[in-house]
Amino acid sequence: MTGAVETGAGVIQPGLYIDGGWQDASGAATLPVVDPATEEEIATVAAGTVADLDRAVAAARAAFAGFTATPVAARRAMLERIHALILERAEPLARALTREMGATISHARGAHVPLAAAHVRVAADLLTDYPFLTMRGTTAIVREPIGVCGLITPWNWPLYQITAKVAPALAAGCTVVLKPSELSPLSALLFAQIVHDSGVPRGVFNLVNGTGAAIGAAMAAHRDIDMISITGSNRAGVLVAQAAAPTVKRVTQELGGKSPNILLPDADLARAVPLGVMAAFRNVGQSCSAPTRMIVPRARLTEVEAIARATASAITVGDPADEATTMGPIANAAQHRRVAAMIATGIAEGATLLCGGPGRPPGHHRGYFVRPTIFTGVTSDMRIAQEEIFGPVLAIIPYDDIDEAVAIANDTVFGLGGHVQGADLDQARAVARRIRTGQVHLNHPEWDPHAPFGGYRHSGNGREYGAFGLEEYLETKAILGFA
Ligand code: NAD
C-alpha cells in the first residue's frame, strides 16, 4: 500500500478499497487532484485498472449472498453508524471538498456534508417499516436487492452524490462498487474509511478510482454487475446505457438540466428574485437542477433586472477556504473553459449582459474563478437558454402570458428541476402541474430529502432519494399461492 497523503483535510488513503481493506492498484498510474483555487496539484490517487475492477466486482459478488440475508435491523444499525461517523468527521470532509472542487468552506460545512449525511439518515429510517413483502390476494409481492451495483458519481456534489447512491443500495441489501469522479476523489476516500470504520462486512462496499473512459466504461459493460447508477453528463449517461445494453443491466441515469424558474405576475419580486439568483448560483452554478432560466413577466422585467443585478453584486468571489467568501472557483479547468465559452456565446448571440461577463473577477490572476454573470433579453432559441452551462450564468427570459411562460419552461430537451414563484398558490400549483420536470419547487421551499429526484426526457431515467431511491435497487418478485 503506497503512503497515505496529507492534503490539508487530514490523512487520506490514496489507494483502492476492495474486499474490506485498502489495496494498491495493480498498475502504476495515478490521477492528479488539482486545487481549483490555486491550479496546483495537491495529491495523487491510485488509478485502478480493469483487473482491479474485476477484483472489486468479485468481492462484491462473493459478499452478496451473505449481505442480502442480513436482518433489516442490522442494515439499519450499520447505516446509523455511517451517519454518525459522517457527522463526527464533518470537518475533514468539508475541507476535502473545499480543496478538491472549490466549494466554499461555509457551503461545504452547511450543505455538502449535512445533506450527504441526510441521505444516509433517510435510508436508515426507511428500514424501520419499509414493506419488503406485501400481499395482493394470495400472491406475495417480495422486494429483493437487485445484486451487485456499479455506482458512478460526478465532481460537482461529490460526497452528496455518493451517499445518494451508496446508502439506498446498502439499505436494499445490495453490494456495491463505487467509482467516484477522477476529478474530486478525496472526499470519496474519506467516505470509504468511514464505511470501513462503521464495520460494514468485507466485500459489501468497494471503491475503485479511475477515469470514466477506463473504469466507468468497464463497469457499464461488466458481466457480473447487475445495475449501474450514474450521475453525470448526458454524454456519459448515454455511453453507459449503450455499454450496459448487451448485459441487460438496469441503468439509472441522473443527467443534465436547464431548469426553469417562472416568476408569475403576482410574485413577490423582492423575495423571489434574490432567492432565484442565489439558487442559480449555488455551488457556483454547478448543480444539475440549478434554475438557470428565470422566466419573468415582460411588464416587470426592469424591476427584476435591478434586483438581480444588486443580488449578484453582493457576491464575494474568492478563496473558498475563507469563511467570508460566498463564491469559490469553478471546480476544474475543463469546466472553467466551458463556462468562459458559453459566456462568450451569450454575448455573440446578442443577449444583453446585465452583470459579470468574460474573464476572471478583478484581482484574480490564477484559479478557475469566473464572474457571476446574468444575461437578460434572452430568447428561448439561444444556446445559453438551451444548453447546460454548469457555472454561475443566469438567463433572464421575458414572457407575455402564462401559456408562453409554460411553453418556454418546457422548451428544452431536459426535464430535471423547475420552480414557480407566485402569491396565488392555486395558480402556482396549476402552473407546476404543466411543467414537464421531475421536481417543481413552489416559492423556494425547504429541501426535502424524501422527495423523489430525477429527470424527464434527456435528464435521465429513474429516481433517487427517499423510498423511490431505495426502490431503484430492488427487484420485484411475485410468489403466487403464497397464502
Ligand atoms: P461526467 O459525465 O464527465 O462524469 C460523471 C462520471 O461519469 C464520472 O465519474 C466519470 O468518470 C464517469 N464517466 C465519464 N465517461 C464515462 C463513460 N464513458 N462510461 C462510464 N462512466 C463515465 O460529468 P461531470 O462533469 O462529472 O458532472 C457534471 C454533469 O453531471 C452535469 O451534466 C450535471 O448536470 C450532471 N449531474 C446530474 C445530476 C442529477 O442528479 N441529475 C447531479 C449532479 C450532476
Side-chain angles (χ1 to χ4, degrees):
M1 178 74 234
T2 42
V5 282
E6 167 59 56
T7 62
V11 173
I12 291 175
Q13 300 289 342
L16 314 181
Y17 184 81
I18 297 175
D19 203 17
W22 290 102
Q23 299 191 8
D24 283 331
S26 58
T30 57
L31 299 161
V33 185
V34 173
D35 180 338
T38 62
E39 303 183 35
E40 283 166 12
E41 185 177 308
I42 52 167
T44 56
V45 299
T49 63
V50 171
D52 298 322
L53 174 66
D54 286 343
R55 280 190 291 131
V57 174
R61 176 61 61 198
F64 180 66
F67 189 59
T68 181
T70 334
V72 170
R75 296 211 295 273
R76 179 180 176 170
M78 187 191 80
L79 288 163
E80 284 173 342
R81 287 195 297 277
I82 295 174
H83 179 256
L85 281 176
I86 291 175
L87 297 184
E88 198 179 304
R89 299 180 193 175
E91 189 56 21
L93 286 165
R95 286 176 189 275
L97 288 156
T98 295
R99 299 224 68 196
E100 71 186 354
M101 54 75 66
T104 61
I105 189 67
S106 49
H107 187 53
R109 286 177 186 144
H112 279 263
V113 177
L115 302 190
H119 288 309
V120 185
R121 174 81 262 162
V122 164
D125 288 349
L126 282 170
L127 291 183
T128 313
D129 56 5
Y130 185 81
F132 285 99
L133 188 153
T134 52
M135 295 300 299
R136 287 211 176 176
T138 58
T139 298
I141 312 289
V142 187
R143 306 304 307 271
E144 298 181 337
I146 188 166
V148 174
C149 298
L151 311 178
I152 301 176
T153 54
W155 49 260
N156 62 325
W157 284 84
L159 183 65
Y160 173 96
Q161 301 294 350
I162 286 171
T163 59
K165 295 187 193 305
V166 173
L170 298 186
C174 294
T175 57
V176 306
V177 177
L178 168 67
K179 191 207 84 63
S181 169
E182 60 273 34
L183 299 173
S184 55
L186 300 182
S187 57
L189 294 167
L190 290 175
F191 177 74
Q193 187 66 46
I194 285 173
V195 173
H196 178 84
D197 294 343
S198 67
V200 170
R202 61 185 285 191
V204 168
F205 170 89
N206 306 274
L207 179 151
V208 179
N209 291 310
T211 62
I215 300 303
M219 288 168 77
H222 207 288
R223 302 190 67 80
D224 221 15
I225 290 181
D226 301 297
M227 166 179 168
I228 294 277
S229 177
I230 175 165
T231 295
S233 60
N234 283 61
R235 184 196 65 83
V238 169
L239 287 171
V240 162
Q242 287 171 336
T247 48
V248 199
K249 287 181 179 62
R250 182 179 299 173
V251 177
T252 292
Q253 299 150 307
E254 298 286 356
L255 309 177
K258 191 75 189 177
S259 299
N261 181 9
I262 297 180
L263 275 53
L264 293 172
D266 67 351
D268 172 6
L269 297 187
R271 177 177 188 273
V273 176
L275 288 178
V277 170
M278 295 316 287
F281 289 176
R282 191 168 186 239
N283 206 39
V284 203
Q286 301 164 121
S287 295
C288 48
S289 59
T292 49
R293 294 182 297 143
M294 188 179 279
I295 302 168
V296 310
R298 196 178 300 277
R300 304 191 70 184
L301 181 61
T302 314
E303 270 177 278
V304 169
E305 288 173 348
I307 303 170
R309 191 193 290 111
T311 307
S313 68
I315 294 170
T316 311
V317 181
D319 177 3
D322 183 340
E323 292 187 11
T325 299
T326 52
M327 184 180 282
I330 292 285
N332 55 68
Q335 190 58 27
H336 191 236
R337 283 193 295 274
R338 169 156 179 82
V339 173
M342 288 305 290
I343 291 174
T345 298
I347 294 169
E349 288 179 306
T352 305
L353 199 53
L354 191 61
C355 59
R360 291 185 175 85
H364 288 279
H365 305 292
R366 63 169 193 168
Y368 305 130
F369 295 98
V370 293
R371 302 164 70 188
T373 296
I374 302 179
F375 284 106
T376 187
V378 177
T379 54
S380 199
D381 57 338
M382 292 181 182
R383 282 182 60 200
I384 57 166
Q386 291 293 324
E387 296 179 25
E388 184 178 55
I389 300 175
F390 231 54
V393 184
L394 174 67
I396 298 180
I397 309 174
Y399 68 83
D400 290 311
D401 61 42
I402 290 180
D403 284 348
E404 187 190 6
V406 171
I408 293 168
N410 290 332
D411 182 27
T412 75
V413 294
F414 298 111
L416 191 56
H419 291 246
V420 182
Q421 322 298 329
D424 176 350
L425 197 53
D426 280 339
Q427 187 186 33
R429 288 179 182 132
V431 170
R433 296 290 295 266
R434 297 174 65 191
I435 297 180
R436 303 275 301 159
T437 60
Q439 280 198 349
V440 184
H441 296 220
L442 300 183
N443 294 321
H444 293 290
E446 288 280 292
W447 181 65
D448 177 1
H450 287 276
F453 182 84
Y456 286 26
R457 306 188 70 209
H458 290 204
S459 288
N461 285 301
R463 291 293 177 271
E464 294 197 292
Y465 313 170
F468 284 82
L470 174 67
E471 286 166 0
E472 291 291 332
Y473 296 94
L474 296 173
E475 279 284 15
T476 302
K477 178 188 283 177
I479 307 179
L480 288 74
F482 192 87

